[in-house]
Every structure is written in C-alpha cells, then in structure tokens.
Amino acid sequence: MEDAKNAANSGDAVKKKSFLIKILISKWFILTVFILCISGYAAWWGMDWWADFSAKRGEKNHETLVAQKTDSGHDTLSVLEEATHGALTTDDAHSTHNALNTHNAQNTHDALATHNALTTHDTQATHGSAMQQQDSHGTTGHAVESQKDTALHTTVKNKHVNENKTVTHASETPATDHGNAHAAPVRTGPRGVAFVEACIQPLDYELNHRFLGWRPNDIIRIADNIKYLQLGVLEVTRRTAVALAENLSRTGSTDAYVPSLEYAMNSFMIKPTELMFPSAEGKYQEGLDGWRNYQEMVLRGEARFYRRVDNLVPLLKAYESILGSCDENLVKKPGELSTFKADDVFYYAKGVAIAMGTILGAVAVDCDDTIGSVQGMDVIHHAVEALHHASSLDPWIVFEGSPDGILANHRANIAAPISHARFYLDVLSRSLTGNL
C-alpha cells in the first residue's frame, strides 16, 4: 500500500511539473510576451515621434511670430510715410493760400494808393511791407522743408533699426541637424574647447537626435543604412578618443592620463550591438559626458590641450588610415560586392565623412598656429571640403551599376572625395613631420 501511495504521489509531481513546463513553452505564452514587447516598443516610438513633432511645430510657430512682427513693422512704416506726406501736402496748401492772400492784398493796396494819389514815400512803404511778407513766406517754406527732411530721416532710421533687429533675431535661432556640423566652428574660448565640441556633435546627434536613436542594437531592424552610417561615426569617434587621451591632452609619454578622457576612451570601445548590461547607448553617453568634463576643465584652466606637431600627427595618421580602408572597399570592381552589400559600404563611408569633416574643421581652428607654420591651412581646408562633399551625397537607392552603364555606381561616386581627403591629409602629415 505505501509503495502504491508513493508511486501515486510521484506521478502527481511529474504531472504538475510537466504542466508548468507546458505553460511556459506554449505558443500562447510566447505570443503574449511578444505582443507585450511590440506594444512597449510602439509606445516608446510614439512618444519619441510626438516629442520631435512638438519641437518642429514650436519652431514653425516661432518663425511665424517673427514674420508677423516684421510685417507689422513694415505696416507701421507705411502709415508713417502716408501721414508725413499728408502733413507736407497740407502745409503746401496753406503756404499757397497765404501767398494768394498776400498777392490780393498787395493789388488792393496798390489800387487804393493810385486812386488817392499817394506820395512816393507811401509807395516805397507799401513796397517794403510786401518784401517783408515775401520774407516771411520764404521762412515758412524753409521750416516746412526742414520738417519734411526730419520726418523722412526719422522714418528711414526706424526702418533700418527694425530690419537690423529682425536679422539679428533670425541669426540667433539654433538648428539641430547634421548640417550645422558643416559650419566652420569659431574659437570663443581656450584652445581645445572647439575641438572637443566638434568631437561630441556627430555621436551626440546619432544618440539623442536621430529618429529611433541608436540602430545597431535594435531588436527589430527596419533598415540598415543608418546603422552603417552610425558605425562609421563611431569608428572616427573611437580613433579620436585614443588620440585625445594619449597625445593631445598630455605633454609626452611620461605625463599622466586625464581620468575623464581615459574613461571616455574605454566607454567608446563597447560593442555597438550591446543591448543591455551595459547598453551601447548608455556607455557612449558616458563617454560624451567624460569629454564634456574635460572641456569644462580646459575652460577653468585645470587641463591643457597640446597642439604640438608630435601631438597632432598621430590623429591625422589615424584619420588617413580610416579613409584608406574606406577607399579600398569603395573602389572594388563591380561584382566583387553584392548589390545588398554596396549600400552598407556607401553609408559607412558617409558616416566617416560626416564625423571626420566636423572634427577636422575644429582642428583648423584650434591648431591654426601649428598648421599655419607649414602653410598647411589651404591643405586642411581642401580635406574638409572633400569630406563635406562625400557627406552630402544622399541617393534614394544605392545602385551598383557599371561605371559606363546607365545606372549610377554610388560607391564610385563617393570614392572620389574620400580619396581626395586621404591625399590632402597625407600631404599635411608629411609637411608637419618635416619639422620634427
């Protein structure tokens, strides 16, 4: 009997365990979890889209308000001009009426003088009074002309002031786009601040301002073009982080690392496909925060940015190496890369061009004395322009056509500016190393 009970109990335990496993592996449980994940992702995407839409609508309302203010200024100007013209017309009418009255009075007075046979002395007196009236008329006309000139001068001056205010207000409106990175940075603080700011901009845009954010670690991948563009931006950011931590922030190999730059360099080395524990976005954001900390230290005078030749050349060599790798993939013969692989190479090179063009523009600003010592400012500007040309290519579809065919070969189109930028960086590096 006891054996039978034990067998029965063990059988129940097996049945219970198998029932729990069946629930966990059932298709309905898996489908429910999948639907919850999709719903959460859709809700997050909707909130991100609404935030972008609200920001754009706020910018449009701001531009409409500026336009209304400008139109109201022009309407006020028109009213002032009409009022001034009316006043001048009224003054001219009064002056004409007074002149007619004076002329009539003179004729009447002359007639009475002739009829009564007045003396020559009376005639001279009458003539003298007429001259006085003409002088008073001339004085009145001069005063009217002076008022006219003053009114017009004031109106034109107010017009110029309103226009200057409108232009100044429009120039202060910021824009959040990759296109701002193409604008040449201006040094407004110690050397190194503009360089660090240019290093932060490309990756910060991909993390915080790009639609759907960081793409390489997404579970559901809609398209891979932006993914490879972001990988190109990340590669340039990594090489820059190494050069900044090891060379540009130290006097030499015996100097200590700046802790925030060393931490940033290690943070950027996390795999871009990491989803959590840690996530790629979180670590890259920490790296950008480390750069911002170094930027604040430079502003306070607690850290230095060294722009000697031996500090700058390693950065240029690293950039030249990245461009050489991109150029090798871009100039391969048609057929060596599949059509579905050609767009990956194209957008990776475009990401490299975006980030590198932005940073080299800041190098020309903060290291102008070092580069100018070998007359290399024109060379680096040519490199920046070539990279901007590469980053401006934005085809709807990347074709892998024959070089002499009807369809374009977009790899070949972007390969030319990439190759030009690599050539100019090599020229600049050779010019600088000649001074070592």
Side-chain angles (χ1 to χ4, degrees):
M1 295 293 292
E2 292 180 358
D3 294 337
K5 289 182 180 180
N6 292 333
N9 293 334
S10 61
D12 293 339
V14 171
K15 289 181 180 179
K16 291 180 180 179
K17 183 176 181 181
S18 61
F19 179 73
L20 181 61
I21 293 175
K22 286 181 179 180
I23 292 175
L24 293 177
I25 65 175
S26 65
K27 63 179 181 181
W28 296 110
F29 178 77
I30 296 174
L31 182 61
T32 302
V33 173
F34 181 75
I35 292 174
L36 290 175
C37 293
I38 294 297
S39 301
Y41 187 82
W44 172 79
W45 177 84
M47 290 187 293
D48 191 12
W49 176 85
W50 178 253
D52 294 340
F53 177 75
S54 301
K56 292 180 180 178
R57 186 172 60 180
E59 292 178 358
K60 291 182 179 179
N61 293 335
H62 180 73
E63 293 175 357
T64 303
L65 181 60
V66 172
Q68 290 176 355
K69 289 182 178 180
T70 305
D71 293 339
S72 62
H74 287 296
D75 294 340
T76 304
L77 176 63
S78 300
V79 171
L80 288 175
E81 290 178 349
E82 292 177 359
T84 304
H85 180 71
L88 293 174
T89 305
T90 303
D91 291 337
D92 292 339
H94 282 299
S95 300
T96 305
H97 181 70
N98 292 334
L100 290 174
N101 290 336
T102 303
H103 181 70
N104 291 333
Q106 289 176 356
N107 292 334
T108 303
H109 185 72
D110 292 340
L112 290 174
T114 304
H115 179 73
N116 295 324
L118 294 175
T119 59
T120 304
H121 176 72
D122 294 333
T123 304
Q124 292 177 352
T126 303
H127 181 71
S129 62
M131 292 297 293
Q132 291 178 358
Q133 290 176 354
Q134 290 178 358
D135 292 339
S136 63
H137 174 70
T139 304
T140 304
H142 181 71
V144 171
E145 291 294 332
S146 299
Q147 293 177 357
K148 179 179 179 180
D149 293 340
T150 304
L152 291 177
H153 179 71
T154 304
T155 303
V156 173
K157 182 177 180 181
N158 292 333
K159 179 181 179 181
H160 285 299
V161 170
N162 291 333
E163 290 178 351
N164 290 335
K165 288 182 179 179
T166 303
V167 172
T168 303
H169 184 68
S171 63
E172 292 176 355
T173 304
T176 57
D177 197 357
H178 256 317
N180 289 335
H182 292 176
V186 179
R187 186 174 71 248
T188 57
R191 294 183 185 270
V193 175
F195 175 80
V196 178
E197 185 64 29
C199 295
I200 293 172
Q201 285 179 4
L203 187 59
D204 179 71
Y205 178 84
E206 300 300 331
L207 293 175
N208 303 315
H209 303 288
R210 171 74 69 179
F211 180 69
L212 294 181
W214 188 251
R215 304 286 183 86
N217 62 352
D218 285 351
I219 298 176
I220 301 175
R221 298 176 182 176
I222 301 175
D224 61 349
N225 292 340
I226 300 300
K227 166 191 170 182
Y228 283 96
L229 184 145
Q230 292 176 341
L231 291 177
V233 171
L234 177 63
E235 185 62 29
V236 176
T237 304
R238 285 175 170 174
R239 301 294 182 96
T240 307
V242 173
L244 183 58
E246 294 186 349
N247 299 294
L248 295 171
S249 62
R250 305 168 66 202
T251 56
S253 59
T254 59
D255 196 4
Y257 284 104
V258 177
S260 59
L261 294 181
E262 186 179 12
Y263 183 79
M265 178 179 63
N266 296 328
S267 298
F268 292 132
M269 300 303 169
I270 298 297
K271 289 177 60 176
T273 56
E274 290 292 336
L275 182 60
M276 57 183 63
F277 308 119
S279 66
E281 297 98 318
K283 295 302 291 184
Y284 297 159
Q285 194 65 53
E286 290 178 5
L288 295 181
D289 292 338
W291 274 354
R292 292 188 180 96
N293 185 34
Y294 170 73
Q295 189 180 41
E296 293 295 329
M297 293 173 64
V298 173
L299 286 171
R300 294 194 300 265
E302 299 175 1
R304 296 289 300 277
F305 179 80
Y306 299 99
R307 58 193 185 279
R308 298 192 312 270
V309 173
D310 57 331
N311 297 105
L312 184 58
V313 168
L315 176 66
L316 300 179
K317 288 292 185 182
Y319 285 176
E320 185 182 348
S321 177
I322 299 175
L323 293 177
S325 176
C326 292
D327 194 25
E328 176 63 23
N329 291 324
L330 292 171
V331 298
K332 289 182 178 179
K333 295 180 180 180
E336 294 186 24
L337 289 178
S338 65
T339 303
F340 299 101
K341 187 67 176 176
D343 61 337
D344 300 341
V345 175
F346 176 89
Y347 279 98
Y348 182 87
K350 181 176 179 178
V352 168
I354 289 173
M356 193 177 297
T358 303
I359 297 173
L360 284 179
V363 170
V365 173
D366 279 344
C367 304
D368 57 343
D369 52 350
T370 304
I371 299 174
S373 64
V374 294
Q375 298 180 356
M377 293 301 295
D378 288 339
V379 178
I380 193 171
H381 286 158
H382 281 302
V384 172
E385 287 299 323
L387 292 170
H388 287 173
H389 181 200
S391 63
S392 65
L393 297 177
D394 192 18
W396 286 7
I397 301 175
V398 176
F399 288 107
E400 182 66 8
S402 175
D404 56 354
I406 298 176
L407 296 179
N409 188 314
H410 290 101
R411 287 193 300 113
N413 292 342
I414 199 173
I418 292 292
S419 179
H420 289 172
R422 183 173 66 90
F423 168 76
Y424 288 122
L425 288 182
D426 180 66
V427 172
L428 183 59
S429 298
R430 292 177 182 273
S431 300
L432 290 172
T433 51
N435 291 344
L436 289 177

